[in-house]
Amino acid sequence: MKAYNFMPCIILFFVQIIIPFVVGGKVPAIIVFGDSTVDTGNNNQILTVLKSNFPPYGRDYYDNKATGRFCNGRIPPDFISEAFGLRPFVPAYLDPMYNITDFAVGVCFASAGTGYDTATSHVLNVMPIWKEIENYKEYQKRLEAYVGIQKSKYIIEEALYIVSMGTNDFLENYFAMQSVRAFQYTTEQYRGFIIGHVENFIKEIYQLGARKISLTGLPPMGCLPLERAANMLRGQGDTCNNDYNDCALKFNEMLSALIQKLNKELPGIRIAFANPYGIILQMVENPASFGFEVERIACCGTGLFEMSYLCNKLNPLTCRDPNKYVFWDSFHLTQKTNQIITNSLMKNVLHQFV
């Protein structure tokens, strides 16, 4: 009788089954809530004018595919997932190309254009945050059916939750012309109003099992190319809108205080403050130190006001090399910028979850 050596089979089993969980460390999945800073394609599947599933969006993504990411390539959740030893991208929950086998290690519920304030989602008819949570609840049921109760609980509690939104609440809602919220609240009051919504949101996903959370602050939103262009139209020169930047700074201070409060109040929770303000401002003020050449305008079109359908392949003015630019369109960052920010966050903030 022939003797069989089962050792290679055992080794192969270990490599294929055991090692992926070891490499991923303590984070078995990335779960994403938010707006266009982290939306990987959910808006493709809803009735809204705010889409980016067409060229030149995605021209530096895998297979040069426009996936619905508001970028020339990958965005922060993709880089974060890769940094934790998972896949180099996070699929959108509504994307029919993916199913629960994909979502078990990473899923995105974000919708471009949304905010903590439900009224913000009405501006461009996108998913409100409560709908993102409803989709997450549905995902939990599908996950449990796929991997079982015990493993599902492990994934939900050990996953890293990325929460990134808030800019639209101010730029698309409160500071917009004929804003209802501006009549209801002073700027200071509205910041408090949004912070209250942030607290409620965090507590809700906490009740649903979230324990490791990366909560993103506001960027220097007054330095977005769109806001610089608006300043020029107002005759104030090609400068950042300092009032908007000041608003972002004060909001981030309130957000930091909220994080400290919730970390003390909610047993077992770990919320990390992923504050992009400083590093983005550094890139805007000293682009050459990061390898950029252009920071005042975006790569797409004139770089002043184009985004979504105005940023299209018919525009002859789109730049040839996005790596020279901080911004991809008038509201969003290039892939290179996203990677620099993610590298900084991994080194200074998110390493605690590795």
Side-chain angles (χ1 to χ4, degrees):
M1 176 179 283
K2 185 177 181 180
Y4 289 94
N5 182 2
F6 290 101
M7 186 58 65
C9 296
I10 295 173
I11 293 173
L12 181 62
F13 174 83
F14 181 82
V15 170
Q16 292 180 332
I17 304 299
I18 305 299
I19 285 182
F21 290 98
V22 175
V23 172
K26 298 179 180 179
V27 174
I30 302 294
I31 298 176
V32 185
F33 295 97
D35 57 21
S36 60
T37 56
V38 290
D39 183 0
T40 59
N42 285 307
N43 272 25
N44 299 350
Q45 309 302 323
I46 63 176
L47 293 174
T48 177
V49 296
L50 193 57
K51 296 178 185 287
S52 59
N53 56 337
F54 46 82
Y57 287 100
R59 73 185 205 183
D60 298 306
Y61 191 74
Y62 300 111
D63 298 323
N64 312 116
K65 183 179 180 181
T67 59
R69 289 165 172 80
F70 282 78
C71 185
N72 59 300
R74 289 194 287 166
I75 58 178
D78 302 316
F79 289 116
I80 291 172
S81 178
E82 183 177 33
F84 277 96
L86 302 171
R87 293 175 308 187
F89 66 94
V90 178
Y93 185 65
L94 299 183
D95 192 331
M97 287 184 58
Y98 300 98
N99 55 44
I100 193 60
T101 60
D102 303 294
F103 301 145
V105 294
V107 60
C108 175
F109 300 103
S111 176
T114 201
Y116 291 106
D117 184 353
T118 300
T120 302
S121 67
H122 296 160
V123 176
L124 292 168
N125 192 38
V126 299
M127 279 195 295
I129 191 62
W130 63 261
K131 181 61 178 175
E132 293 188 24
I133 291 177
E134 287 300 308
N135 287 339
Y136 172 58
K137 291 177 180 177
E138 179 185 82
Y139 161 75
Q140 286 195 344
K141 293 178 182 178
R142 293 175 63 188
L143 183 66
E144 183 176 311
Y146 174 58
V147 300
I149 296 176
Q150 185 174 354
K151 189 171 180 181
S152 173
K153 184 175 184 293
Y154 168 78
I155 292 173
I156 293 299
E157 292 184 354
E158 295 298 327
L160 175 62
Y161 291 75
I162 299 172
V163 180
S164 178
M165 61 189 126
T167 302
N168 295 315
D169 289 314
F170 292 95
L171 297 187
E172 302 299 325
N173 186 353
Y174 185 80
F175 290 128
M177 293 178 63
Q178 299 179 330
S179 167
V180 174
R181 292 301 193 208
F183 285 104
Q184 295 174 320
Y185 304 99
T186 64
T187 307
E188 183 178 359
Q189 289 171 337
Y190 189 67
R191 283 194 293 266
F193 174 76
I194 295 300
I195 288 293
H197 278 63
V198 178
E199 181 170 4
N200 291 338
F201 172 77
I202 294 298
K203 287 182 175 178
E204 185 162 4
I205 63 171
Y206 173 80
Q207 290 299 324
L208 292 169
R211 292 296 181 269
K212 301 175 180 178
I213 302 172
S214 170
L215 187 54
T216 308
L218 295 185
M221 54 192 184
C223 292
L224 298 176
L226 185 64
E227 301 310 325
R228 284 182 181 270
N231 258 3
M232 285 194 292
L233 291 176
R234 287 190 288 262
Q236 297 175 356
D238 179 22
T239 59
C240 296
N241 186 316
N242 291 325
D243 289 338
Y244 289 0
N245 282 355
D246 183 61
C247 178
L249 280 171
K250 290 177 178 176
F251 179 84
N252 287 344
E253 289 175 2
M254 297 172 72
L255 194 61
S256 178
L258 174 65
I259 289 171
Q260 293 179 43
K261 172 176 174 284
L262 293 178
N263 276 333
K264 292 178 181 178
E265 288 182 1
L266 303 178
I269 201 169
R270 290 167 63 194
I271 309 174
F273 185 25
N275 187 355
Y277 189 100
I279 190 168
I280 294 178
L281 189 63
Q282 289 176 37
M283 285 188 269
V284 168
E285 293 181 340
N286 190 11
S289 64
F290 294 88
F292 295 111
E293 296 179 13
V294 186
E295 80 289 354
R296 294 176 177 270
I297 62 174
C299 169
C300 193
T302 64
L304 298 173
F305 60 86
E306 293 93 342
M307 72 171 181
S308 192
Y309 285 109
L310 293 177
C311 175
N312 58 65
K313 64 181 180 181
L314 300 178
N315 197 318
L317 300 176
T318 297
C319 77
R320 293 185 177 183
D321 186 3
N323 287 332
K324 295 179 180 179
Y325 288 71
V326 174
F327 295 94
W328 164 247
D329 66 18
S330 64
F331 213 84
H332 303 98
L333 305 168
T334 59
Q335 174 176 254
K336 178 180 175 179
T337 308
N338 284 328
Q339 184 160 31
I340 291 172
I341 292 171
T342 302
N343 290 345
S344 175
L345 290 176
M346 286 301 304
K347 179 181 178 181
N348 300 306
V349 180
L350 301 181
H351 64 278
Q352 64 182 283
F353 299 116
V354 174

